[in-house]
Amino acid sequence: MLRAAGVGVGDEVVVPAFGNVEVAEAVALVGASPVFADIVPETYCLDSRAVEAAVTPRTVAVVAVHRFGLPADMRALHGVGQRQGLLVLEQGETEAPYGEIAQRRQRAAYLDGKLSGVRTPDWGEGHTYQQYVVRVPGNGRPDRDAFARAVRGRGVECRVPVKTPVHRMPGFRRCVSLPETERAADETLALPVDASLTKRDMQRIVSACNALGGLLQPAF
């Protein structure tokens, strides 16, 4: 898409740092420079205000990445594109069949009502729950990682969705202030909501997480 749009050497493209490195790599492959903007903490997608603040005379495009099953605010991002004369591109997620999405939503609703000690997602009805991402509040990554190890020790699979933001990776390291990106990288943990999970599996997840509340500051 970048090549087709004529993006190339000397251009800048605004991208998120919270997520996979492939988007920044694609920008670099066409000879342009990735510029990182911060995210909205509720959706983990690009914040349109941060995007607009990152625009320079060399900026030609924005790549919005939909995250964890909820889309970026494309209306706001297209507004930035219109005001600044930028191309706005999207990277979507592979959609699951509707029946599978419905089952994920049921399991997510169960976790929403039962979990304590973590911050559950506060996302809209359109969420497809590609991943069920909670926040482990505390003093940073050691608390989240200790929680993850303890949950795994109780037989529950979980994963850190973004271990290192792209702006901290070799080759893309930037001195840029992205407080919401940093916070999300330190606090987020993906719990299972697969359609194959049984009621007993869901109860095990809740029991394991709630038993570890002492590791955490109160959720807010």
Side-chain angles (χ1 to χ4, degrees):
M1 289 190 294
L2 292 167
R3 283 199 181 101
V7 178
V9 177
D11 294 332
E12 292 179 349
V13 180
V14 182
V15 299
F18 186 78
N20 300 330
V21 72
E22 285 83 358
V23 176
E25 287 177 336
V27 173
L29 281 173
V30 300
S33 299
V35 174
F36 300 109
D38 214 353
I39 58 171
V40 179
E42 292 80 13
T43 66
Y44 305 104
C45 299
L46 277 176
D47 185 333
S48 61
R49 294 168 300 180
V51 168
E52 194 148 25
V55 172
T56 75
R58 294 173 56 195
T59 308
V60 298
V62 179
V63 180
V65 181
H66 305 310
R67 189 69 66 200
F68 305 145
L70 193 71
D73 187 348
M74 296 309 301
R75 184 174 182 177
L77 291 170
H78 279 297
V80 175
Q82 290 173 357
R83 288 190 297 274
Q84 301 290 344
L86 308 177
L87 177 69
V88 179
L89 303 175
E90 301 178 55
Q91 185 191 51
E93 296 178 302
T94 302
E95 286 294 330
Y98 179 78
E100 183 176 335
I101 292 173
Q103 290 180 311
R104 287 179 183 169
R105 285 173 173 161
Q106 289 177 348
R107 286 156 177 76
Y110 177 84
L111 294 179
D112 286 346
K114 299 289 187 179
L115 287 174
S116 61
V118 297
R119 292 171 60 188
T120 56
D122 186 18
W123 301 337
E125 293 182 358
H127 194 353
T128 61
Y129 292 99
Q130 296 279 359
Q131 296 188 58
Y132 184 87
V133 178
V134 301
R135 297 259 193 163
V136 180
N139 297 317
R141 181 172 295 173
D143 297 313
R144 188 272 315 279
D145 288 353
F147 186 90
R149 286 193 297 271
V151 168
R152 293 187 190 109
R154 287 167 167 78
V156 174
E157 289 298 321
C158 61
R159 61 183 295 272
V160 175
V162 177
K163 294 181 179 179
T164 305
V166 182
H167 73 291
R168 291 207 245 116
M169 292 183 177
F172 294 104
R173 201 176 300 278
R174 302 286 190 277
C175 184
V176 58
S177 176
L178 303 175
E180 294 299 341
T181 296
E182 296 280 359
R183 190 173 296 113
D186 287 346
E187 293 182 350
T188 50
L189 188 68
L191 298 175
V193 285
D194 301 338
S196 61
L197 294 172
T198 66
K199 185 175 181 179
R200 181 172 293 180
D201 293 330
M202 300 305 296
Q203 291 171 338
R204 183 183 300 114
I205 294 168
V206 170
S207 177
C209 291
N210 289 357
L212 299 170
L215 288 176
L216 308 174
Q217 295 176 359
F220 60 92

